[in-house]
Amino acid sequence: MDWNGRQLLIRPIRPEDEIALGNLIRSLDPEDARMRFFAAMRHLPRSQLARFTQIDYDREMALVAIERGSDGVERSLGEIRAVSHPDHAVADFAIVVSSGCKGKGLGRLLLQSLITCSRSRGIGELRGETLEGNLRMQHLAQDLGFKLTAGADRGTVDLRLVLCTP
């Protein structure tokens, strides 16, 4: 697909995406890493990268936004994932977008793709958590119909979107 004049592919994550995902996380500005991981983390151990790329497709879905460079190397510009509860009533999601791509609609594209995928899998509700200071995520969630409430943890905001009613 064409995205802001760039060729982009959004697809399910694969084990071979481990290096690209690691590069994406390492490339984040410190504040962007804090907004995603709620800590100043910019490096994930290989075991966690393997866990993030070798998923159980029955309960999880992770989508990556991939751009192939002129050198033929695939680069991850963003990633979004949802992990569903065993009954599929609720799935918890998290998203990260390359610092250089923020504010250009990639987060919206990824979240819309995850919403569509989650609906097709019969997920009842999609929910996430963000820091109070992450106004960009809060505005995106509101624009896509999520309800926002104060989070259980101080300084957080819960994001909830009903997808299917039982």
Side-chain angles (χ1 to χ4, degrees):
M1 82 173 44
D2 183 64
W3 173 72
N4 292 332
R6 299 160 83 168
Q7 284 303 304
L8 191 67
L9 174 65
I10 295 181
R11 62 163 170 75
I13 202 163
R14 301 186 298 228
E16 56 267 28
D17 292 323
E18 185 178 314
I19 291 171
L21 182 60
N23 290 340
L24 170 63
I25 302 303
R26 276 190 298 283
S27 77
L28 294 174
D29 293 340
E31 183 65 5
D32 293 337
R34 188 176 77 80
M35 291 296 175
R36 166 56 177 91
F37 297 106
F38 294 16
M41 182 184 306
R42 293 191 47 215
H43 175 77
L44 295 179
R46 188 167 188 282
S47 61
Q48 190 158 5
L49 284 170
R51 158 72 195 99
F52 278 176
T53 56
Q54 298 172 31
I55 64 173
D56 171 5
Y57 287 99
D58 289 334
R59 291 197 47 217
E60 299 177 66
M61 179 48 70
L63 302 172
V64 288
I66 299 292
E67 179 181 50
R68 186 179 304 270
S70 58
D71 56 3
V73 175
E74 290 187 345
R75 202 166 59 104
S76 179
L77 301 181
E79 183 257 359
I80 190 164
R81 67 184 48 245
V83 179
S84 69
H85 296 204
D87 61 2
H88 292 290
V90 174
D92 298 306
F93 82 94
I95 184 172
V96 64
V97 171
S98 166
S99 297
C101 294
K102 282 180 15 182
K104 298 176 182 172
L106 183 57
R108 175 178 297 275
L109 190 58
L110 283 167
L111 188 49
Q112 287 172 325
S113 296
L114 185 69
I115 290 168
T116 299
C117 180
S118 297
R119 275 196 176 112
S120 73
R121 296 174 73 131
I123 304 294
E125 180 180 32
L126 203 52
R127 73 178 183 199
E129 181 181 43
T130 191
L131 295 173
E132 279 182 347
N134 194 345
L135 299 179
R136 191 180 298 253
M137 183 65 222
Q138 291 173 45
H139 292 305
L140 171 59
Q142 281 182 315
D143 285 351
L144 293 178
F146 283 78
K147 301 288 184 226
L148 279 59
T149 58
D153 296 324
R154 185 174 170 219
T156 65
V157 174
D158 287 337
L159 316 168
R160 294 180 176 264
L161 178 66
V162 174
L163 300 174
C164 312
T165 52

